Amino acid sequence: MNFTKCPYLELKVKDIEKSKEWYGNVLNFNSVFNFPDANGTTSMTHLRGAKYQDLMLLQDEEVNTCDSVIINLFSSDIHSIYQAALENETNIIQKPTVQPWNAKELTLEDPDGYIFTIMESVDSNKDFDTVIDNVKGQL
């Protein structure tokens, strides 16, 4: 089997400008390029956060998010994202919470219902085996 690596994630959104603003204000993503349709209206926008965090937002009247998909992003400053989420009246599913797998996690819902879990390492000096032993001990 041959799998092609996709360098970005595509999300359908109802209001591309509102979504672009939310991703900028809350997750600190910047607009790389806007793709206009035949009428000159933005129909797709390329956003970038940290390295390899690329999103393509596609304007669509029908958006069907799936509750079985959660998008995970790593951050080195989860507190700033949490504050931005509060300021932008974001639906916060889970406040920053330390998990047994050596991560602090924040779970948010974007304007179209996509779920994002933002993760930050709690102790970067812990090795994988120590983290796994800790998780096993709490199950």
Side-chain angles (χ1 to χ4, degrees):
M1 239 180 231
N2 184 11
F3 293 98
T4 304
K5 184 177 178 183
C6 181
Y8 55 83
L9 180 65
E10 292 182 355
L11 301 175
K12 291 181 180 180
V13 298
K14 292 178 188 170
D15 184 335
I16 204 162
E17 293 303 322
K18 179 180 176 182
S19 292
K20 190 165 59 168
E21 182 179 344
W22 184 87
Y23 282 93
N25 291 342
V26 177
L27 298 181
N28 201 30
F29 275 65
N30 296 303
S31 180
V32 175
F33 189 77
N34 293 315
F35 299 87
D37 61 16
N39 299 323
T41 304
T42 300
S43 61
M44 182 169 64
T45 189
H46 181 169
L47 302 177
R48 179 169 291 149
K51 187 175 183 179
Y52 305 120
Q53 289 182 340
D54 289 87
L55 293 175
M56 299 295 268
L57 303 182
L58 309 168
Q59 180 75 37
D60 200 325
E61 291 178 20
E62 294 292 322
V63 175
N64 185 11
T65 61
C66 178
D67 64 1
S68 66
V69 175
I70 298 175
I71 302 159
N72 293 284
L73 299 174
F74 181 80
S75 173
S76 59
D77 190 7
I78 203 168
H79 180 73
S80 292
I81 294 173
Y82 178 59
Q83 290 303 314
L86 291 171
E87 292 167 10
N88 286 273
E89 300 177 358
T90 298
N91 180 20
I92 298 170
I93 296 168
Q94 176 184 289
K95 294 179 182 181
T97 304
V98 174
Q99 303 293 354
W101 43 89
N102 194 36
K104 184 184 288 185
E105 295 183 348
L106 164 67
T107 305
L108 309 171
E109 183 177 2
D110 88 343
D112 289 285
Y114 294 106
I115 306 297
F116 284 81
T117 296
I118 314 303
M119 300 174 297
E120 180 179 88
S121 180
V122 175
D123 182 353
S124 59
N125 294 319
K126 283 188 178 179
D127 64 31
F128 182 75
D129 291 331
T130 302
V131 171
I132 294 302
D133 288 344
N134 188 42
V135 171
K136 288 178 182 176
Q138 295 195 23
L139 295 178

